[in-house]
Amino acid sequence: MTALQPFTREELEPRLRRLVNAEVPEAEEEAYVAELSARIIDPQWLDYLYAKEWEHLTLEEACDKILSYRAIRL
């Protein structure tokens, strides 16, 4: 079994936009978030979407933060 590859900007942005704009049916939202989480390596990615509302990040800025995450390996 091969590991899932991280999203590219072209793949990620429309998916985040769909989630932010509440275009995902409520009954499917948990599965949709789990699917995104499987390919987003930043453990705080959902925080950036909340920050979009509270700290006035644009969707593009939230996407930049998510895509720029690099895990620190010790």
Side-chain angles (χ1 to χ4, degrees):
M1 181 179 196
T2 59
L4 294 173
Q5 295 298 311
F7 285 112
T8 64
R9 170 174 291 288
E10 293 77 22
E11 295 171 320
L12 181 59
E13 198 169 316
R15 286 172 171 86
L16 294 181
R17 187 173 313 282
R18 186 168 181 237
L19 187 61
V20 168
N21 292 339
E23 295 171 1
V24 179
E26 192 173 329
E28 298 172 20
E29 191 170 321
E30 191 173 321
Y32 191 76
V33 168
E35 179 185 328
L36 291 175
S37 292
R39 290 184 59 193
I40 296 175
I41 60 173
D42 188 336
Q44 296 180 319
W45 73 272
L46 275 174
D47 294 339
Y48 299 135
L49 293 186
Y50 291 120
K52 180 186 170 339
E53 289 183 28
W54 304 112
E55 297 175 20
H56 308 291
L57 287 179
T58 65
L59 185 64
E60 292 76 15
E61 290 168 332
C63 194
D64 287 343
K65 286 182 170 285
I66 291 167
L67 292 172
S68 68
Y69 177 82
R70 298 292 177 257
I72 296 174
R73 306 230 195 280
L74 300 177

